[in-house]
PDB file of all heavy atoms in Angstrom:
ATOM      1  N   LEU N 155      88.919 112.987 138.867  1.00  0.00           N
ATOM      2  CA  LEU N 155      89.798 112.296 139.797  1.00  0.00           C
ATOM      3  C   LEU N 155      89.305 112.440 141.237  1.00  0.00           C
ATOM      4  O   LEU N 155      89.222 111.403 141.968  1.00  0.00           O
ATOM      5  CB  LEU N 155      91.196 112.801 139.662  1.00  0.00           C
ATOM      6  CG  LEU N 155      92.300 112.169 140.533  1.00  0.00           C
ATOM      7  CD1 LEU N 155      92.396 110.668 140.220  1.00  0.00           C
ATOM      8  CD2 LEU N 155      93.647 112.828 140.312  1.00  0.00           C
ATOM      9  N   ARG N 156      88.926 113.637 141.641  1.00  0.00           N
ATOM     10  CA  ARG N 156      88.568 113.807 142.991  1.00  0.00           C
ATOM     11  C   ARG N 156      87.237 113.218 143.469  1.00  0.00           C
ATOM     12  O   ARG N 156      87.167 112.701 144.549  1.00  0.00           O
ATOM     13  CB  ARG N 156      88.565 115.322 143.316  1.00  0.00           C
ATOM     14  CG  ARG N 156      89.964 115.967 143.215  1.00  0.00           C
ATOM     15  CD  ARG N 156      89.907 117.451 143.432  1.00  0.00           C
ATOM     16  NE  ARG N 156      91.243 118.043 143.524  1.00  0.00           N
ATOM     17  CZ  ARG N 156      92.020 118.131 144.577  1.00  0.00           C
ATOM     18  NH1 ARG N 156      91.528 117.672 145.731  1.00  0.00           N
ATOM     19  NH2 ARG N 156      93.238 118.616 144.545  1.00  0.00           N
ATOM     20  N   TYR N 157      86.253 113.343 142.597  1.00  0.00           N
ATOM     21  CA  TYR N 157      84.959 112.821 142.953  1.00  0.00           C
ATOM     22  C   TYR N 157      84.684 111.459 142.307  1.00  0.00           C
ATOM     23  O   TYR N 157      84.397 110.441 143.020  1.00  0.00           O
ATOM     24  CB  TYR N 157      83.783 113.757 142.610  1.00  0.00           C
ATOM     25  CG  TYR N 157      82.440 113.198 142.992  1.00  0.00           C
ATOM     26  CD1 TYR N 157      81.986 113.267 144.266  1.00  0.00           C
ATOM     27  CD2 TYR N 157      81.672 112.602 141.991  1.00  0.00           C
ATOM     28  CE1 TYR N 157      80.721 112.738 144.643  1.00  0.00           C
ATOM     29  CE2 TYR N 157      80.406 112.055 142.355  1.00  0.00           C
ATOM     30  CZ  TYR N 157      79.980 112.149 143.672  1.00  0.00           C
ATOM     31  OH  TYR N 157      78.781 111.561 143.969  1.00  0.00           O
ATOM     32  N   TRP N 158      84.674 111.382 140.943  1.00  0.00           N
ATOM     33  CA  TRP N 158      84.342 110.151 140.296  1.00  0.00           C
ATOM     34  C   TRP N 158      85.332 109.049 140.589  1.00  0.00           C
ATOM     35  O   TRP N 158      84.977 107.880 140.735  1.00  0.00           O
ATOM     36  CB  TRP N 158      84.209 110.343 138.776  1.00  0.00           C
ATOM     37  CG  TRP N 158      83.010 111.231 138.450  1.00  0.00           C
ATOM     38  CD1 TRP N 158      83.074 112.462 137.950  1.00  0.00           C
ATOM     39  CD2 TRP N 158      81.656 110.933 138.645  1.00  0.00           C
ATOM     40  NE1 TRP N 158      81.774 112.954 137.803  1.00  0.00           N
ATOM     41  CE2 TRP N 158      80.874 112.056 138.194  1.00  0.00           C
ATOM     42  CE3 TRP N 158      80.940 109.782 139.174  1.00  0.00           C
ATOM     43  CZ2 TRP N 158      79.477 112.078 138.233  1.00  0.00           C
ATOM     44  CZ3 TRP N 158      79.573 109.827 139.222  1.00  0.00           C
ATOM     45  CH2 TRP N 158      78.824 110.936 138.740  1.00  0.00           C
ATOM     46  N   GLY N 159      86.621 109.389 140.724  1.00  0.00           N
ATOM     47  CA  GLY N 159      87.593 108.368 141.181  1.00  0.00           C
ATOM     48  C   GLY N 159      87.334 107.860 142.528  1.00  0.00           C
ATOM     49  O   GLY N 159      87.478 106.659 142.737  1.00  0.00           O
ATOM     50  N   ALA N 160      86.936 108.710 143.425  1.00  0.00           N
ATOM     51  CA  ALA N 160      86.615 108.299 144.793  1.00  0.00           C
ATOM     52  C   ALA N 160      85.344 107.376 144.784  1.00  0.00           C
ATOM     53  O   ALA N 160      85.310 106.349 145.423  1.00  0.00           O
ATOM     54  CB  ALA N 160      86.406 109.494 145.669  1.00  0.00           C
ATOM     55  N   LEU N 161      84.351 107.778 143.975  1.00  0.00           N
ATOM     56  CA  LEU N 161      83.126 107.059 143.935  1.00  0.00           C
ATOM     57  C   LEU N 161      83.385 105.635 143.347  1.00  0.00           C
ATOM     58  O   LEU N 161      82.847 104.586 143.880  1.00  0.00           O
ATOM     59  CB  LEU N 161      82.077 107.748 143.087  1.00  0.00           C
ATOM     60  CG  LEU N 161      80.691 107.193 143.007  1.00  0.00           C
ATOM     61  CD1 LEU N 161      80.004 107.312 144.363  1.00  0.00           C
ATOM     62  CD2 LEU N 161      79.865 107.851 141.991  1.00  0.00           C
ATOM     63  N   ALA N 162      84.137 105.582 142.303  1.00  0.00           N
ATOM     64  CA  ALA N 162      84.442 104.262 141.678  1.00  0.00           C
ATOM     65  C   ALA N 162      85.270 103.397 142.633  1.00  0.00           C
ATOM     66  O   ALA N 162      85.095 102.164 142.712  1.00  0.00           O
ATOM     67  CB  ALA N 162      85.228 104.477 140.382  1.00  0.00           C
ATOM     68  N   SER N 163      86.165 104.013 143.341  1.00  0.00           N
ATOM     69  CA  SER N 163      86.956 103.267 144.321  1.00  0.00           C
ATOM     70  C   SER N 163      86.132 102.663 145.393  1.00  0.00           C
ATOM     71  O   SER N 163      86.325 101.491 145.776  1.00  0.00           O
ATOM     72  CB  SER N 163      88.043 104.189 144.909  1.00  0.00           C
ATOM     73  OG  SER N 163      88.954 104.611 143.881  1.00  0.00           O
ATOM     74  N   ILE N 164      85.177 103.426 145.892  1.00  0.00           N
ATOM     75  CA  ILE N 164      84.278 102.910 146.919  1.00  0.00           C
ATOM     76  C   ILE N 164      83.484 101.749 146.369  1.00  0.00           C
ATOM     77  O   ILE N 164      83.308 100.711 146.981  1.00  0.00           O
ATOM     78  CB  ILE N 164      83.357 104.082 147.434  1.00  0.00           C
ATOM     79  CG1 ILE N 164      84.139 105.086 148.121  1.00  0.00           C
ATOM     80  CG2 ILE N 164      82.249 103.473 148.338  1.00  0.00           C
ATOM     81  CD1 ILE N 164      83.333 106.345 148.481  1.00  0.00           C
ATOM     82  N   LYS N 165      82.944 101.935 145.200  1.00  0.00           N
ATOM     83  CA  LYS N 165      82.133 100.912 144.551  1.00  0.00           C
ATOM     84  C   LYS N 165      82.851  99.570 144.466  1.00  0.00           C
ATOM     85  O   LYS N 165      82.325  98.506 144.829  1.00  0.00           O
ATOM     86  CB  LYS N 165      81.653 101.354 143.132  1.00  0.00           C
ATOM     87  CG  LYS N 165      80.885 100.319 142.383  1.00  0.00           C
ATOM     88  CD  LYS N 165      80.489 100.812 140.998  1.00  0.00           C
ATOM     89  CE  LYS N 165      79.746  99.722 140.179  1.00  0.00           C
ATOM     90  NZ  LYS N 165      79.289 100.194 138.863  1.00  0.00           N
ATOM     91  N   TYR N 166      84.071  99.582 143.942  1.00  0.00           N
ATOM     92  CA  TYR N 166      84.765  98.339 143.688  1.00  0.00           C
ATOM     93  C   TYR N 166      85.560  97.844 144.861  1.00  0.00           C
ATOM     94  O   TYR N 166      85.887  96.647 144.959  1.00  0.00           O
ATOM     95  CB  TYR N 166      85.708  98.526 142.452  1.00  0.00           C
ATOM     96  CG  TYR N 166      84.892  98.789 141.178  1.00  0.00           C
ATOM     97  CD1 TYR N 166      84.970  99.948 140.562  1.00  0.00           C
ATOM     98  CD2 TYR N 166      84.058  97.808 140.715  1.00  0.00           C
ATOM     99  CE1 TYR N 166      84.248 100.261 139.422  1.00  0.00           C
ATOM    100  CE2 TYR N 166      83.322  98.034 139.558  1.00  0.00           C
ATOM    101  CZ  TYR N 166      83.415  99.232 138.913  1.00  0.00           C
ATOM    102  OH  TYR N 166      82.631  99.496 137.732  1.00  0.00           O
ATOM    103  N   ALA N 167      85.801  98.747 145.858  1.00  0.00           N
ATOM    104  CA  ALA N 167      86.574  98.293 147.043  1.00  0.00           C
ATOM    105  C   ALA N 167      85.687  97.605 148.049  1.00  0.00           C
ATOM    106  O   ALA N 167      86.102  96.696 148.772  1.00  0.00           O
ATOM    107  CB  ALA N 167      87.213  99.505 147.677  1.00  0.00           C
ATOM    108  N   THR N 168      84.425  98.035 148.133  1.00  0.00           N
ATOM    109  CA  THR N 168      83.547  97.593 149.189  1.00  0.00           C
ATOM    110  C   THR N 168      83.455  96.079 149.403  1.00  0.00           C
ATOM    111  O   THR N 168      83.497  95.575 150.556  1.00  0.00           O
ATOM    112  CB  THR N 168      82.133  98.175 148.978  1.00  0.00           C
ATOM    113  OG1 THR N 168      82.199  99.639 149.023  1.00  0.00           O
ATOM    114  CG2 THR N 168      81.147  97.755 150.076  1.00  0.00           C
ATOM    115  N   PRO N 169      83.351  95.324 148.363  1.00  0.00           N
ATOM    116  CA  PRO N 169      83.243  93.832 148.557  1.00  0.00           C
ATOM    117  C   PRO N 169      84.460  93.227 149.201  1.00  0.00           C
ATOM    118  O   PRO N 169      84.381  92.058 149.717  1.00  0.00           O
ATOM    119  CB  PRO N 169      83.048  93.267 147.108  1.00  0.00           C
ATOM    120  CG  PRO N 169      82.517  94.415 146.301  1.00  0.00           C
ATOM    121  CD  PRO N 169      83.171  95.607 146.896  1.00  0.00           C
ATOM    122  N   ASN N 170      85.603  93.918 149.190  1.00  0.00           N
ATOM    123  CA  ASN N 170      86.833  93.366 149.715  1.00  0.00           C
ATOM    124  C   ASN N 170      87.152  93.819 151.096  1.00  0.00           C
ATOM    125  O   ASN N 170      88.177  93.360 151.702  1.00  0.00           O
ATOM    126  CB  ASN N 170      88.031  93.781 148.782  1.00  0.00           C
ATOM    127  CG  ASN N 170      87.937  93.143 147.445  1.00  0.00           C
ATOM    128  OD1 ASN N 170      87.195  92.174 147.239  1.00  0.00           O
ATOM    129  ND2 ASN N 170      88.747  93.612 146.496  1.00  0.00           N
ATOM    130  N   ILE N 171      86.336  94.708 151.681  1.00  0.00           N
ATOM    131  CA  ILE N 171      86.704  95.273 153.018  1.00  0.00           C
ATOM    132  C   ILE N 171      86.268  94.305 154.134  1.00  0.00           C
ATOM    133  O   ILE N 171      85.125  93.880 154.192  1.00  0.00           O
ATOM    134  CB  ILE N 171      86.000  96.617 153.186  1.00  0.00           C
ATOM    135  CG1 ILE N 171      86.539  97.613 152.143  1.00  0.00           C
ATOM    136  CG2 ILE N 171      86.258  97.182 154.594  1.00  0.00           C
ATOM    137  CD1 ILE N 171      85.917  98.969 152.173  1.00  0.00           C
ATOM    138  N   ASN N 172      87.222  93.961 155.017  1.00  0.00           N
ATOM    139  CA  ASN N 172      86.990  93.081 156.055  1.00  0.00           C
ATOM    140  C   ASN N 172      86.019  93.649 157.140  1.00  0.00           C
ATOM    141  O   ASN N 172      85.883  94.915 157.226  1.00  0.00           O
ATOM    142  CB  ASN N 172      88.328  92.707 156.770  1.00  0.00           C
ATOM    143  CG  ASN N 172      89.208  91.858 155.907  1.00  0.00           C
ATOM    144  OD1 ASN N 172      88.749  91.021 155.133  1.00  0.00           O
ATOM    145  ND2 ASN N 172      90.517  92.058 155.995  1.00  0.00           N
ATOM    146  N   GLU N 173      85.473  92.805 157.928  1.00  0.00           N
ATOM    147  CA  GLU N 173      84.552  93.242 158.986  1.00  0.00           C
ATOM    148  C   GLU N 173      85.387  94.234 159.904  1.00  0.00           C
ATOM    149  O   GLU N 173      86.542  93.941 160.240  1.00  0.00           O
ATOM    150  CB  GLU N 173      84.105  92.032 159.832  1.00  0.00           C
ATOM    151  CG  GLU N 173      83.172  92.421 160.939  1.00  0.00           C
ATOM    152  CD  GLU N 173      82.685  91.189 161.695  1.00  0.00           C
ATOM    153  OE1 GLU N 173      83.011  90.028 161.285  1.00  0.00           O
ATOM    154  OE2 GLU N 173      82.001  91.357 162.769  1.00  0.00           O
ATOM    155  N   GLY N 174      84.716  95.291 160.281  1.00  0.00           N
ATOM    156  CA  GLY N 174      85.425  96.287 161.108  1.00  0.00           C
ATOM    157  C   GLY N 174      86.201  97.292 160.348  1.00  0.00           C
ATOM    158  O   GLY N 174      86.859  98.176 160.891  1.00  0.00           O
ATOM    159  N   GLY N 175      86.172  97.198 159.051  1.00  0.00           N
ATOM    160  CA  GLY N 175      86.967  98.035 158.169  1.00  0.00           C
ATOM    161  C   GLY N 175      86.346  99.437 157.912  1.00  0.00           C
ATOM    162  O   GLY N 175      85.183  99.680 158.364  1.00  0.00           O
ATOM    163  N   SER N 176      87.012 100.264 157.182  1.00  0.00           N
ATOM    164  CA  SER N 176      86.560 101.587 156.953  1.00  0.00           C
ATOM    165  C   SER N 176      86.963 102.229 155.611  1.00  0.00           C
ATOM    166  O   SER N 176      87.941 101.691 155.017  1.00  0.00           O
ATOM    167  CB  SER N 176      87.059 102.566 158.077  1.00  0.00           C
ATOM    168  OG  SER N 176      88.463 102.781 157.944  1.00  0.00           O
ATOM    169  N   ILE N 177      86.238 103.225 155.186  1.00  0.00           N
ATOM    170  CA  ILE N 177      86.569 104.006 154.001  1.00  0.00           C
ATOM    171  C   ILE N 177      86.790 105.440 154.494  1.00  0.00           C
ATOM    172  O   ILE N 177      85.941 105.950 155.235  1.00  0.00           O
ATOM    173  CB  ILE N 177      85.480 103.941 152.975  1.00  0.00           C
ATOM    174  CG1 ILE N 177      85.318 102.542 152.453  1.00  0.00           C
ATOM    175  CG2 ILE N 177      85.702 104.926 151.817  1.00  0.00           C
ATOM    176  CD1 ILE N 177      84.080 102.249 151.646  1.00  0.00           C
ATOM    177  N   ASN N 178      87.871 106.045 154.037  1.00  0.00           N
ATOM    178  CA  ASN N 178      88.204 107.392 154.526  1.00  0.00           C
ATOM    179  C   ASN N 178      88.471 108.313 153.396  1.00  0.00           C
ATOM    180  O   ASN N 178      89.356 108.060 152.528  1.00  0.00           O
ATOM    181  CB  ASN N 178      89.427 107.333 155.426  1.00  0.00           C
ATOM    182  CG  ASN N 178      89.192 106.336 156.600  1.00  0.00           C
ATOM    183  OD1 ASN N 178      88.649 106.705 157.646  1.00  0.00           O
ATOM    184  ND2 ASN N 178      89.535 105.098 156.412  1.00  0.00           N
ATOM    185  N   LEU N 179      87.742 109.469 153.334  1.00  0.00           N
ATOM    186  CA  LEU N 179      87.798 110.332 152.193  1.00  0.00           C
ATOM    187  C   LEU N 179      88.423 111.668 152.506  1.00  0.00           C
ATOM    188  O   LEU N 179      88.511 112.027 153.630  1.00  0.00           O
ATOM    189  CB  LEU N 179      86.377 110.565 151.663  1.00  0.00           C
ATOM    190  CG  LEU N 179      85.574 109.280 151.303  1.00  0.00           C
ATOM    191  CD1 LEU N 179      84.154 109.598 150.917  1.00  0.00           C
ATOM    192  CD2 LEU N 179      86.217 108.560 150.143  1.00  0.00           C
ATOM    193  N   MET N 180      88.791 112.479 151.447  1.00  0.00           N
ATOM    194  CA  MET N 180      89.399 113.740 151.609  1.00  0.00           C
ATOM    195  C   MET N 180      88.420 114.847 151.245  1.00  0.00           C
ATOM    196  O   MET N 180      87.847 114.868 150.135  1.00  0.00           O
ATOM    197  CB  MET N 180      90.619 113.837 150.705  1.00  0.00           C
ATOM    198  CG  MET N 180      91.542 115.024 150.971  1.00  0.00           C
ATOM    199  SD  MET N 180      92.488 114.813 152.481  1.00  0.00           S
ATOM    200  CE  MET N 180      91.944 116.270 153.340  1.00  0.00           C
ATOM    201  N   SER N 181      88.222 115.738 152.151  1.00  0.00           N
ATOM    202  CA  SER N 181      87.364 116.907 151.899  1.00  0.00           C
ATOM    203  C   SER N 181      88.117 118.179 152.311  1.00  0.00           C
ATOM    204  O   SER N 181      89.339 118.087 152.439  1.00  0.00           O
ATOM    205  CB  SER N 181      86.066 116.807 152.644  1.00  0.00           C
ATOM    206  OG  SER N 181      85.176 117.888 152.346  1.00  0.00           O
ATOM    207  N   GLY N 182      87.463 119.267 152.442  1.00  0.00           N
ATOM    208  CA  GLY N 182      88.193 120.488 152.795  1.00  0.00           C
ATOM    209  C   GLY N 182      87.183 121.576 153.266  1.00  0.00           C
ATOM    210  O   GLY N 182      86.014 121.558 152.983  1.00  0.00           O
ATOM    211  N   THR N 183      87.766 122.584 153.948  1.00  0.00           N
ATOM    212  CA  THR N 183      86.960 123.601 154.543  1.00  0.00           C
ATOM    213  C   THR N 183      86.482 124.624 153.524  1.00  0.00           C
ATOM    214  O   THR N 183      85.704 125.531 153.854  1.00  0.00           O
ATOM    215  CB  THR N 183      87.799 124.359 155.631  1.00  0.00           C
ATOM    216  OG1 THR N 183      89.027 124.814 155.039  1.00  0.00           O
ATOM    217  CG2 THR N 183      88.098 123.450 156.780  1.00  0.00           C
ATOM    218  N   ALA N 184      86.856 124.483 152.262  1.00  0.00           N
ATOM    219  CA  ALA N 184      86.373 125.393 151.236  1.00  0.00           C
ATOM    220  C   ALA N 184      84.844 125.294 151.121  1.00  0.00           C
ATOM    221  O   ALA N 184      84.180 126.257 150.727  1.00  0.00           O
ATOM    222  CB  ALA N 184      87.034 125.082 149.870  1.00  0.00           C
ATOM    223  N   ASN N 185      84.273 124.154 151.489  1.00  0.00           N
ATOM    224  CA  ASN N 185      82.863 123.947 151.522  1.00  0.00           C
ATOM    225  C   ASN N 185      82.213 124.782 152.654  1.00  0.00           C
ATOM    226  O   ASN N 185      81.164 125.334 152.412  1.00  0.00           O
ATOM    227  CB  ASN N 185      82.469 122.486 151.653  1.00  0.00           C
ATOM    228  CG  ASN N 185      80.996 122.282 151.727  1.00  0.00           C
ATOM    229  OD1 ASN N 185      80.232 122.804 150.899  1.00  0.00           O
ATOM    230  ND2 ASN N 185      80.524 121.449 152.677  1.00  0.00           N
ATOM    231  N   GLN N 186      82.858 124.887 153.759  1.00  0.00           N
ATOM    232  CA  GLN N 186      82.284 125.607 154.928  1.00  0.00           C
ATOM    233  C   GLN N 186      82.516 127.079 154.806  1.00  0.00           C
ATOM    234  O   GLN N 186      81.679 127.826 155.292  1.00  0.00           O
ATOM    235  CB  GLN N 186      82.946 125.058 156.198  1.00  0.00           C
ATOM    236  CG  GLN N 186      82.693 123.589 156.478  1.00  0.00           C
ATOM    237  CD  GLN N 186      83.640 123.040 157.528  1.00  0.00           C
ATOM    238  OE1 GLN N 186      84.602 122.430 157.231  1.00  0.00           O
ATOM    239  NE2 GLN N 186      83.197 123.210 158.757  1.00  0.00           N
ATOM    240  N   ARG N 187      83.671 127.470 154.276  1.00  0.00           N
ATOM    241  CA  ARG N 187      83.948 128.888 154.190  1.00  0.00           C
ATOM    242  C   ARG N 187      84.729 129.189 152.890  1.00  0.00           C
ATOM    243  O   ARG N 187      85.906 129.413 152.910  1.00  0.00           O
ATOM    244  CB  ARG N 187      84.729 129.380 155.413  1.00  0.00           C
ATOM    245  CG  ARG N 187      84.814 130.855 155.525  1.00  0.00           C
ATOM    246  CD  ARG N 187      85.327 131.367 156.811  1.00  0.00           C
ATOM    247  NE  ARG N 187      85.294 132.791 156.870  1.00  0.00           N
ATOM    248  CZ  ARG N 187      85.685 133.512 157.885  1.00  0.00           C
ATOM    249  NH1 ARG N 187      86.167 132.890 158.965  1.00  0.00           N
ATOM    250  NH2 ARG N 187      85.602 134.824 157.868  1.00  0.00           N
ATOM    251  N   PRO N 188      84.107 129.266 151.770  1.00  0.00           N
ATOM    252  CA  PRO N 188      84.769 129.569 150.540  1.00  0.00           C
ATOM    253  C   PRO N 188      85.146 131.030 150.409  1.00  0.00           C
ATOM    254  O   PRO N 188      84.525 131.867 151.021  1.00  0.00           O
ATOM    255  CB  PRO N 188      83.669 129.155 149.459  1.00  0.00           C
ATOM    256  CG  PRO N 188      82.383 129.434 150.151  1.00  0.00           C
ATOM    257  CD  PRO N 188      82.582 129.067 151.595  1.00  0.00           C
ATOM    258  N   GLY N 189      86.186 131.207 149.559  1.00  0.00           N
ATOM    259  CA  GLY N 189      86.539 132.583 149.249  1.00  0.00           C
ATOM    260  C   GLY N 189      86.363 132.883 147.751  1.00  0.00           C
ATOM    261  O   GLY N 189      86.000 131.914 147.041  1.00  0.00           O
ATOM    262  N   ALA N 190      86.598 134.045 147.309  1.00  0.00           N
ATOM    263  CA  ALA N 190      86.534 134.336 145.879  1.00  0.00           C
ATOM    264  C   ALA N 190      87.583 133.498 145.154  1.00  0.00           C
ATOM    265  O   ALA N 190      88.715 133.341 145.569  1.00  0.00           O
ATOM    266  CB  ALA N 190      86.818 135.799 145.663  1.00  0.00           C
ATOM    267  N   GLY N 191      87.127 132.875 144.048  1.00  0.00           N
ATOM    268  CA  GLY N 191      87.982 132.030 143.275  1.00  0.00           C
ATOM    269  C   GLY N 191      87.992 130.567 143.721  1.00  0.00           C
ATOM    270  O   GLY N 191      88.657 129.723 143.100  1.00  0.00           O
ATOM    271  N   TRP N 192      87.211 130.196 144.745  1.00  0.00           N
ATOM    272  CA  TRP N 192      87.181 128.914 145.302  1.00  0.00           C
ATOM    273  C   TRP N 192      85.935 128.154 144.847  1.00  0.00           C
ATOM    274  O   TRP N 192      85.564 127.129 145.504  1.00  0.00           O
ATOM    275  CB  TRP N 192      87.288 128.948 146.776  1.00  0.00           C
ATOM    276  CG  TRP N 192      88.638 129.323 147.278  1.00  0.00           C
ATOM    277  CD1 TRP N 192      89.191 130.564 147.281  1.00  0.00           C
ATOM    278  CD2 TRP N 192      89.575 128.477 147.980  1.00  0.00           C
ATOM    279  NE1 TRP N 192      90.454 130.544 147.832  1.00  0.00           N
ATOM    280  CE2 TRP N 192      90.730 129.251 148.231  1.00  0.00           C
ATOM    281  CE3 TRP N 192      89.575 127.090 148.276  1.00  0.00           C
ATOM    282  CZ2 TRP N 192      91.857 128.661 148.879  1.00  0.00           C
ATOM    283  CZ3 TRP N 192      90.678 126.596 148.879  1.00  0.00           C
ATOM    284  CH2 TRP N 192      91.807 127.335 149.182  1.00  0.00           C
ATOM    285  N   ALA N 193      85.239 128.570 143.838  1.00  0.00           N
ATOM    286  CA  ALA N 193      83.950 127.898 143.448  1.00  0.00           C
ATOM    287  C   ALA N 193      84.103 126.397 143.254  1.00  0.00           C
ATOM    288  O   ALA N 193      83.362 125.558 143.775  1.00  0.00           O
ATOM    289  CB  ALA N 193      83.357 128.563 142.245  1.00  0.00           C
ATOM    290  N   LEU N 194      85.129 126.002 142.458  1.00  0.00           N
ATOM    291  CA  LEU N 194      85.304 124.577 142.217  1.00  0.00           C
ATOM    292  C   LEU N 194      85.729 123.776 143.375  1.00  0.00           C
ATOM    293  O   LEU N 194      85.233 122.722 143.677  1.00  0.00           O
ATOM    294  CB  LEU N 194      86.351 124.379 141.025  1.00  0.00           C
ATOM    295  CG  LEU N 194      85.878 124.844 139.668  1.00  0.00           C
ATOM    296  CD1 LEU N 194      87.005 124.623 138.665  1.00  0.00           C
ATOM    297  CD2 LEU N 194      84.605 124.143 139.222  1.00  0.00           C
ATOM    298  N   ALA N 195      86.681 124.351 144.135  1.00  0.00           N
ATOM    299  CA  ALA N 195      87.174 123.702 145.343  1.00  0.00           C
ATOM    300  C   ALA N 195      86.005 123.530 146.348  1.00  0.00           C
ATOM    301  O   ALA N 195      85.864 122.437 146.970  1.00  0.00           O
ATOM    302  CB  ALA N 195      88.315 124.483 145.979  1.00  0.00           C
ATOM    303  N   SER N 196      85.213 124.569 146.520  1.00  0.00           N
ATOM    304  CA  SER N 196      84.049 124.497 147.395  1.00  0.00           C
ATOM    305  C   SER N 196      83.071 123.435 146.902  1.00  0.00           C
ATOM    306  O   SER N 196      82.510 122.656 147.743  1.00  0.00           O
ATOM    307  CB  SER N 196      83.381 125.860 147.510  1.00  0.00           C
ATOM    308  OG  SER N 196      82.270 125.799 148.381  1.00  0.00           O
ATOM    309  N   SER N 197      82.874 123.354 145.623  1.00  0.00           N
ATOM    310  CA  SER N 197      81.881 122.415 145.071  1.00  0.00           C
ATOM    311  C   SER N 197      82.310 120.999 145.309  1.00  0.00           C
ATOM    312  O   SER N 197      81.471 120.126 145.680  1.00  0.00           O
ATOM    313  CB  SER N 197      81.688 122.681 143.569  1.00  0.00           C
ATOM    314  OG  SER N 197      81.146 123.992 143.356  1.00  0.00           O
ATOM    315  N   ILE N 198      83.591 120.669 145.065  1.00  0.00           N
ATOM    316  CA  ILE N 198      84.048 119.360 145.174  1.00  0.00           C
ATOM    317  C   ILE N 198      84.041 118.915 146.683  1.00  0.00           C
ATOM    318  O   ILE N 198      83.718 117.768 147.022  1.00  0.00           O
ATOM    319  CB  ILE N 198      85.432 119.106 144.585  1.00  0.00           C
ATOM    320  CG1 ILE N 198      85.753 117.617 144.539  1.00  0.00           C
ATOM    321  CG2 ILE N 198      86.554 119.845 145.318  1.00  0.00           C
ATOM    322  CD1 ILE N 198      84.899 116.762 143.657  1.00  0.00           C
ATOM    323  N   CYS N 199      84.364 119.845 147.536  1.00  0.00           N
ATOM    324  CA  CYS N 199      84.383 119.531 149.005  1.00  0.00           C
ATOM    325  C   CYS N 199      82.920 119.263 149.430  1.00  0.00           C
ATOM    326  O   CYS N 199      82.742 118.342 150.256  1.00  0.00           O
ATOM    327  CB  CYS N 199      84.995 120.656 149.772  1.00  0.00           C
ATOM    328  SG  CYS N 199      86.787 120.841 149.567  1.00  0.00           S
TER     329      CYS N 199
END
């Protein structure tokens, strides 16, 4: 859901986006500073 869903959404949304439009995604600081138990969260971010 978090990665492949986003990728598919970008793929199929792009042809419909008007000039000046944007795509905005969700990430997190777990990638920048992970803690113990955060391996998956860090990886997806």
Side-chain angles (χ1 to χ4, degrees):
L155 183 59
R156 292 178 175 271
Y157 179 80
W158 293 112
L161 187 69
S163 297
I164 295 169
K165 175 180 178 179
Y166 295 114
T168 298
N170 293 345
I171 297 177
N172 292 323
E173 182 178 354
S176 71
I177 295 168
N178 304 273
L179 305 173
M180 191 75 238
S181 183
T183 55
N185 178 48
Q186 298 165 264
R187 191 169 184 180
W192 286 74
L194 291 179
S196 179
S197 298
I198 190 65
C199 290

